[in-house]
Amino acid sequence: MTIAVIYGGTRPNGNAEILTDHTIQGIDVEKIYLKDYSIHSIIDQRHTEEGFQDINDDYNSIIERVMQHDILIFSTPIYWYSMSGAMKHFIDRWSQTLRDSKFPDFKTNMSSKRAYVIAVGGDNPTIKGLPMIQQFQYIFDFMGISFEGYILGEGNKPGDILHDENALFAASQLQKLFS
């Protein structure tokens, strides 16, 4: 069982990253920080004669790394009641990969994976973060990925997540599953 953590935050040591790191402490994972890469927005060319064109950015190298793992942990701050823009750009590009001849088995490969979401935000995230969780559920359902669970934590200022005892407990429980 191999694990990749896909971090969607832009702030170093942000609350989502802290909670995720608490979850994976002592576990061998590949950490992928989307903020460290250039991922261009998708240009929807599904219905053009030429189809999608290659984009000169880092996305393909990231998706190749992701595809090598059995378990995916999507770690994101909650921005405006949804996932971060970096995470959304990354997932939006899956539409292109589904039609890319360089990745003929993309959906089949992804459907063999298990996924978790760890997200932190302010403004009552355990309730107001649920639409984002539902969005991830729909994404995973479409791809055939098994959605195994999620943790929603509360934190706004740096380090606030360390005061959310429920989220920290949930992280420690999830960690036991990976150990």
Side-chain angles (χ1 to χ4, degrees):
M1 163 185 83
T2 61
I3 301 172
V5 179
I6 302 143
Y7 293 94
T10 57
R11 181 173 62 201
N13 299 310
N15 287 305
E17 183 178 341
I18 291 169
L19 183 59
T20 302
D21 288 350
H22 184 76
T23 304
I24 60 169
Q25 185 177 8
I27 299 167
D28 185 33
V29 302
E30 180 174 4
K31 295 181 176 185
I32 301 169
Y33 294 89
L34 296 178
K35 68 179 176 56
D36 293 340
Y37 299 94
S38 172
I39 302 174
H40 296 289
S41 301
I42 191 166
I43 299 171
D44 187 356
Q45 297 173 316
R46 290 174 295 162
H47 306 289
T48 63
E49 192 173 313
E50 310 82 39
F52 285 103
Q53 304 300 302
D54 283 336
I55 298 176
N56 187 18
D57 66 1
D58 298 320
Y59 169 80
N60 282 352
S61 67
I62 297 167
I63 202 64
E64 287 171 355
R65 291 167 58 195
V66 166
M67 289 173 53
Q68 296 173 20
H69 296 282
D70 306 304
I71 296 174
L72 307 176
I73 300 173
F74 294 83
S75 173
T76 183
I78 301 173
Y79 290 153
W80 289 101
Y81 312 100
S82 190
M83 66 186 77
S84 69
M87 185 71 72
K88 185 72 168 88
H89 280 307
F90 173 69
I91 292 173
D92 281 351
R93 290 286 294 281
W94 293 6
S95 293
Q96 183 171 348
T97 309
L98 285 165
R99 292 167 177 80
D100 191 331
S101 62
K102 292 187 292 281
F103 299 94
D105 300 319
F106 177 61
K107 190 169 184 179
T108 301
N109 181 294
M110 293 298 280
S111 71
S112 70
K113 304 195 181 313
R114 299 184 344 230
Y116 296 84
V117 175
I118 299 174
V120 178
D123 195 20
N124 198 9
T126 57
I127 299 298
K128 295 180 180 179
L130 292 176
M132 178 196 64
I133 295 300
Q134 188 175 40
Q135 180 182 25
F136 273 107
Q137 176 72 65
Y138 291 144
I139 291 164
F140 299 152
D141 285 350
F142 180 84
M143 295 298 292
I145 298 169
S146 178
F147 190 13
E148 300 291 316
Y150 65 90
I151 301 171
L152 290 173
E154 185 161 3
N156 191 22
K157 295 177 188 167
D160 276 355
I161 190 61
L162 297 172
H163 304 292
D164 185 338
E165 292 178 15
N166 291 330
L168 293 171
F169 177 76
S172 67
Q173 294 303 109
L174 187 54
Q175 181 189 40
K176 291 176 184 177
L177 291 176
F178 298 142
S179 299

